[in-house]
Amino acid sequence: MKQLQNKTVLITGGASGIGKILARLFLEKQATVIIWDINEINLNETVSKLSSIGKIVGHKVDISNVEQIQNAAKKVKQDYGSIDVLINNAGIIIGKYFNEHTTLDITKTMAINANAPMLITHEFLEGMITKNAGHICNIASSGGLISNPKMSVYAASKWSLIGWSDSLRLEMKKLKKDIYVTTIMPYYINTGMFDGVKSKLPILEPETAALTILKAIEKKKRMVTIPGYMYRLARIGQALFSVNFFDWFAGSFLGIYDTMEEFIGRKK
Ligand SMILES: NC(=O)c1ccc[n+]([C@@H]2O[C@H](COP(=O)([O-])OP(=O)(O)OC[C@H]3O[C@@H](n4cnc5c(N)ncnc54)[C@H](O)[C@@H]3O)[C@@H](O)[C@H]2O)c1
């Protein structure tokens, strides 16, 4: 598909995991890629590695900081005018029981996973509305559909992201704008972010998950779980079953509520 050729794509958290693979996939489609990431070493490494494929730049941005978002957005607008595709991908997980979270753990998780996608979109949406073109893809999580121990704040941030993202889609439709919004809700992916997780359901491969995200954007899909059956499993299961039965089904039968027991996460 040629639709991404010469498009400008901004990916947050593009220096690792899914974001880094997406950066490569978009470059292979001949798009210009801008990545924002807090990790300067990984950022420089990613840009130098991928620049042989196409046009890529990296900006060091801490998206939990509103001022840094505004300054970085200003630079992108000065350099490129507006962007065509925004992928709100950066995210963090603390992976502890709620009572073990510090105040900073809570505020950081919400700032990065929930607030930043809104604030970043807010910076670029006006430009998309003026052009009447654009695509916003928000990487949420299945943790935004199914509650899970050791994930409470992460779940809160992703439930928030899903609610905002899909409401934004409806707003663009109501305003009759050709601006598409795709909400992605993956199950665990083997990127390192969730190292230590044990799961009866298969853990996804990063390349496969990233390809599904790319296809979802190309096909202007709206709500996408990876794997696909997760959406119905969560929404229909929660609608039809009692809480007791759903807890047994998700917790004991599928083992989801024990997946985080040996969570280690990404080593610093
Ligand atoms: N890995 C999984 O199992 C999984 C499952 C479902 C959803 N997700 C979501 O997919 C997205 C990507 O996950 P991943 O597995 O590739 O993670 P990852 O840890 O490999 O990459 C996340 C990137 O975000 C960056 N980042 C973190 N805080 C930042 C900040 N304050 N400012 C800018 N950048 C920041 C990190 O430096 C890193 O490069 C996340 O939103 C995550 O919640 C992941």
Side-chain angles (χ1 to χ4, degrees):
M1 260 193 239
K2 291 242 179 228
Q3 76 195 83
L4 293 170
Q5 203 174 6
N6 301 323
K7 299 289 185 206
T8 306
V9 182
L10 170 61
I11 306 172
T12 68
S16 170
I18 294 300
K20 186 173 174 177
I21 301 175
L22 283 173
R24 172 169 53 75
L25 294 176
F26 275 96
L27 287 172
E28 285 166 1
K29 296 273 174 183
Q30 290 160 36
T32 297
V33 173
I34 306 156
I35 55 175
W36 285 4
D37 206 289
I38 195 172
N39 186 324
E40 199 165 19
I41 296 172
N42 286 354
L43 191 66
N44 293 337
E45 216 178 270
T46 303
V47 171
S48 74
K49 190 175 162 206
L50 296 183
S51 55
S52 59
I53 309 174
K55 274 185 262 170
I56 177 166
V57 291
H59 298 162
K60 185 182 179 223
V61 188
D62 175 358
I63 64 163
S64 68
N65 181 311
V66 181
E67 214 179 320
Q68 287 196 31
I69 291 177
Q70 289 168 340
N71 290 337
K74 201 167 160 192
K75 175 149 180 51
V76 169
K77 286 182 225 173
Q78 274 164 3
D79 293 349
Y80 300 93
S82 62
I83 56 169
D84 300 296
V85 182
L86 168 62
I87 305 179
N88 285 306
N89 163 75
I92 60 162
I93 169 84
I94 301 298
K96 295 177 186 164
Y97 287 111
F98 180 66
N99 56 294
E100 295 165 347
H101 281 65
T102 63
T103 304
L104 189 64
D105 288 339
I106 298 168
T107 54
K108 274 266 170 196
T109 305
M110 294 308 286
I112 295 166
N113 297 7
N115 294 351
M118 292 192 274
L119 295 168
I120 298 167
T121 302
H122 201 249
E123 289 293 328
F124 293 103
L125 190 57
E126 212 48 55
M128 291 182 178
I129 288 176
T130 306
K131 282 200 309 189
N132 192 29
H135 200 126
I136 297 148
C137 175
N138 297 303
I139 313 296
S141 166
S142 297
L145 292 171
I146 299 178
S147 312
N148 200 11
K150 289 203 172 180
M151 245 196 209
S152 58
V153 180
Y154 182 80
S157 71
K158 296 297 187 178
W159 285 55
S160 159
L161 180 60
I162 293 169
W164 162 74
S165 178
D166 204 45
S167 301
L168 179 66
R169 172 183 71 79
L170 292 172
E171 287 184 2
M172 292 303 109
K173 196 175 169 198
K174 207 156 200 196
L175 294 172
K176 298 194 170 29
K177 296 293 172 193
D178 290 335
I179 296 166
Y180 300 95
V181 181
T182 301
T183 309
I184 306 282
M185 295 154 282
Y187 190 62
Y188 295 113
I189 315 166
N190 190 15
T191 61
M193 183 181 185
F194 281 92
D195 269 0
V197 158
K198 300 266 178 311
S199 174
K200 283 188 192 172
L201 295 174
I203 292 181
L204 304 163
E205 279 312 313
E207 188 76 23
T208 318
L211 274 169
T212 306
I213 296 168
L214 177 74
K215 269 197 201 120
I217 294 172
E218 286 181 323
K219 292 187 175 164
K220 301 183 173 64
K221 292 217 172 158
R222 295 166 290 189
M223 299 284 276
V224 178
T225 54
I226 316 174
Y229 63 77
M230 194 59 76
Y231 191 78
R232 284 176 182 80
L233 185 149
R235 293 241 155 133
I236 297 177
Q238 287 159 347
L240 293 182
F241 300 151
S242 67
V243 174
N244 270 347
F245 185 81
F246 191 78
D247 278 356
W248 170 83
F249 176 65
S252 303
F253 183 69
L254 297 178
I256 292 174
Y257 297 173
D258 296 325
T259 49
M260 290 287 288
E261 253 170 27
E262 292 169 51
F263 171 84
I264 301 162
R266 189 173 286 296
K267 287 163 214 80
K268 293 275 174 299

